[in-house]
Amino acid sequence: MSTIIPITTVSSGLSLFMPLFILYLGGNVLDVGIAFAVYNLVSIPSSLFWGKITDRYGRVKPFIMLSVIFTLPLLFAYHLFSSLTNAYFFYGIFAIIATASSPAINILIMGTKRSKTLPKYFSRYSIFSLLGSILAYIFGYFVATQDLTTYLFILIFFNVASIFLAYALIKDQVRLIEMKKVKNVGKVFPILNMLTNLPNLSINIETIKRIRNTIKNIQKHDVYMLLIAIAFFNLGFYIFNTAYVPYLNTNGLSFSNIFLINLANAIAQILVFLYIIKIRKGIKPSRFYITGITYRSISYIVAAIAIFIPVFFLSLNIIAYFIAGFSYAIWNLSSSIILYELVRGKDEGYFIGIWTSLLGGSAVVGALISGLFVISVGYQMTFIIAVTATIFSGVVFQGSKLKVNKSSKKE
């Protein structure tokens, strides 16, 4: 848990630093889209590669150490070699480095708890991850106004801390989960961890496996419909998020205020996980899915209309991105639960492979078309397209009649 905080501080900080850095170098929203597309293109094969290698090697600490150690020179490289081309290149390299530790961290966490308190344990894990994001945004708020490149030294500090903590505190343990489960986790979680460039969010599949009241006798058609719904949500997510930082900066917000807006997003996600920990009654994943779709669409609309009320532009965007964080957390949790319950015992590896491909592919497409649409039709129309894709995700979900009829109760 202690190691997760500085690791997430670096990854979350760098994911927000990237679009700001591109704007700082004179780039535009299309350049931001290219950077995100490069990251996701590289992440797809590298995620599968590291998951497979981690399975075969049987140890996790070396992969975590490899990731945190090789991140350090990359952060220095950003400071020493500042250009758009280098920004793309280094972000692609970071995708390889970051995904090296993702399956290892999730396997390590999965292997430490097998009790009935596991859902609560993993909610705490997610909160620790978000605490790292909050640290990244708080430091960014105070530093970015001076000189954006100074922020890299903050990330370097936390990266050094993660190296020492990982070396001192992380120990390889005897795995308490079946190898079949480990293989699936190695493939899924690198994608889940990279989904939220702004900010990171981890939902562990072992939590999903322990949720009761499973869906029975669901045909493959239903799985495909859910996957299509997830892909459209992720498409809208990247169309919006790719354009959002340039949108804020273009309309006069400082880099510090952009960090502040992302801080609101992370706080909203923590509140969701605190609610999951404290909840006494069961949750209904299907209802959570639609709620996430609804509020995510509202957040996009609020952000889009904020430009027409300049005096409240900052305040409205803080509210909008707070709602976006809340809605993303409950959508991600609910979609993960429903998907796993649908594929349980039914070609799990096959469907997980499709899942990772759709997430990565929709991220690439969303990032690229976001930049192109902003240049051709403007930010407002681009946000409307993001809303449309998000609502269509809900329409597909409702049309497929995918339900978890009984509440998934806390174990």
Side-chain angles (χ1 to χ4, degrees), residues 133 143 159 197 221 251 267 270 357 398:
S133 298
V143 172
N159 191 81
N197 281 324
H221 171 75
N251 287 286
I267 290 173
I270 281 185
S357 299
Q398 287 283 67

Side-chain angles (χ1 to χ4, degrees), residues 380-391:
Q380 272 66 38
M381 284 301 300
T382 302
F383 292 164
I384 290 174
I385 294 168
V387 171
T388 303
T390 304
I391 292 176

Side-chain angles (χ1 to χ4, degrees), residues 4 12-13 33 57 73 76 97 110 118 130 161 194 202 244 246 267-268 282 304 309 326 372 384-386 391 403 407:
I4 289 299
S12 295
Y57 191 61
F76 279 109
I97 295 172
M110 286 173 60
L118 190 58
L130 288 163
M194 77 177 185
S202 297
Y244 192 50
I267 290 173
I309 316 175
F326 160 81
L372 293 172
I384 290 174
I385 294 168
I391 292 176
K403 305 281 185 181
S407 300

Side-chain angles (χ1 to χ4, degrees), residues 7 60-69 100-101 104-105 108 166 170:
I7 290 177
V60 297
K61 182 172 181 176
F63 296 96
I64 299 173
M65 292 300 303
L66 181 150
S67 181
V68 295
I69 289 173
S101 65
I105 289 174
L108 180 64
I170 294 179

Side-chain angles (χ1 to χ4, degrees), residues 26-68:
N28 57 26
V29 63
L30 180 57
D31 297 311
V32 174
I34 292 173
F36 284 167
V38 168
Y39 180 92
N40 286 288
L41 276 173
V42 174
S43 293
I44 296 171
S46 62
S47 298
L48 299 175
F49 170 78
W50 288 117
K52 185 175 182 179
I53 295 299
T54 303
D55 284 344
R56 289 185 176 180
Y57 191 61
R59 298 178 61 193
V60 297
K61 182 172 181 176
F63 296 96
I64 299 173
M65 292 300 303
L66 181 150
S67 181
V68 295

